[in-house]
Amino acid sequence: MDIIISNSTGEPIYNQIAAQIKQMILDGTLKEGDALPSMRNLAMQLRISVITTKRAYEDLEREGFIESYTGKGSFVRAQNKELFREEQLKQIEELISKACEKSRLCGLGLSELKEILELIYDGGNA
């Protein structure tokens, strides 16, 4: 499992780990039932504290992305379709928000932004 930790982002390491694992689940890299590395092994690979990986796994479990069994490990949980859709919508809103900020900065109007969005969206179906 390729997880990249950055010390320059200011984001806590456990959040970086959880976000990257969540993304792997959402994009299908990790599938239902796949085993995650043990907290200890992941901590060793990333050269961080086991407490940090434990916090990331706890967050993922609380959000319904993984399930953990004492003595067996942590596994990707079957994804609730509503939860999956809600998470995707959240990511889309974040990306559109960034696009809107950039549009305002360069003086692009809403109608022009909609036109770009329609071109890109329709272009994906061609």
Side-chain angles (χ1 to χ4, degrees):
M1 180 180 315
D2 293 329
I3 294 178
I4 299 166
I5 301 300
S6 172
N7 293 322
S8 63
T9 65
E11 183 179 12
I13 293 173
Y14 68 89
N15 278 350
Q16 293 179 48
I17 295 167
Q20 289 178 54
I21 292 173
K22 188 187 304 184
Q23 187 58 48
M24 287 183 230
I25 293 169
L26 291 172
D27 69 18
T29 303
L30 291 173
K31 297 180 182 1
E32 176 184 345
D34 284 353
L36 298 179
S38 72
M39 291 177 213
R40 183 169 281 113
N41 283 342
L42 184 58
M44 285 174 37
Q45 288 173 11
L46 299 174
R47 296 187 173 128
I48 58 172
S49 165
V50 174
I51 294 169
T52 303
T53 56
K54 183 177 190 289
R55 174 102 187 252
Y57 278 28
E58 286 173 345
D59 287 354
L60 288 165
E61 190 163 13
R62 188 174 39 258
E63 292 178 32
F65 286 93
I66 67 171
E67 47 196 357
S68 299
Y69 302 97
T70 305
K72 292 185 179 180
S74 298
F75 302 86
V76 176
R77 188 174 179 182
Q79 293 304 298
N80 176 325
K81 296 214 184 291
E82 285 183 37
L83 175 67
F84 178 79
R85 187 173 194 283
E86 188 61 34
E87 189 62 35
Q88 295 289 20
L89 284 172
K90 180 180 162 191
Q91 290 181 14
I92 291 167
E93 288 171 2
E94 289 172 5
L95 291 169
I96 290 174
S97 178
K98 288 178 185 175
C100 288
E101 287 176 35
K102 288 191 178 279
S103 297
R104 283 188 211 100
L105 285 173
C106 72
L108 194 69
L110 180 59
S111 61
E112 293 171 295
L113 182 60
K114 284 180 181 178
E115 186 177 331
I116 292 169
L117 181 60
E118 287 172 358
L119 287 170
I120 292 170
Y121 192 84
D122 290 340
N125 293 328

